[in-house]
């Protein structure tokens, strides 16, 4: 169930690469933090090292492969439920977020500006056109 007080603690976290805490995180780190806080076991790590430029090289491919292997994929937004992972494309950049219900997704602000972008809640009209896939938890 969507609980406003619970979600608010995830809004306003600054963007820092390869972090997953309330002090800073990137989009996948925000997913990691959310899952950890809810006691869900996924860590979204494929066992390979993460370098500073991994998102520019093979990061999105590795994460997409991880999700396809560990989650049930859906292309139907009506099948999404609380805690599912959403992959969306903004101007050619792939971003991950967490589906909250009622068409809302928790994700990092885009365009991403290191140390300046923050986590936010997107309403359906802002992410639906870039929707690529959902991954059921």
């Amino acid at each position: 169930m969507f609980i406003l007080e619970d979600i608010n603690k995830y809004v306003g976290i600054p963007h820092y690469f390869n972090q997953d805490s309330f002090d800073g995180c990137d989009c996948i780190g925000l997913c990691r933090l959310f899952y950890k806080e809810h006691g869900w076991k996924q860590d979204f790590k494929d066992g390979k090292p993460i370098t500073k430029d991994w998102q520019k090289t093979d990061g999105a491919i590795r994460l997409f492969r991880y999700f396809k292997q560990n989650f049930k994929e859906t292309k139907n937004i009506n099948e999404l439920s609380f805690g599912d992972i959403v992959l969306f494309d903004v101007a050619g950049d792939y971003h991950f977020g967490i589906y909250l219900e009622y068409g809302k997704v928790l994700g990092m602000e885009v365009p991403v500006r290191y140390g300046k972008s923050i986590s936010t809640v997107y309403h359906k009209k802002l992410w639906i056109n870039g929707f690529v896939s959902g991954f059921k938890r």
Side-chain angles (χ1 to χ4, degrees), residues 1 32 48 73 124:
M1 189 77 191
R32 249 189 239 118
K48 297 177 184 175
E73 183 177 13
K124 189 175 185 179

Side-chain angles (χ1 to χ4, degrees), residues 2 4 19 29 57 76 100 107 125 129:
F2 184 77
L4 187 59
Q19 301 295 311
T57 55
N76 183 346
L100 300 176
K125 67 181 179 183
N129 289 334

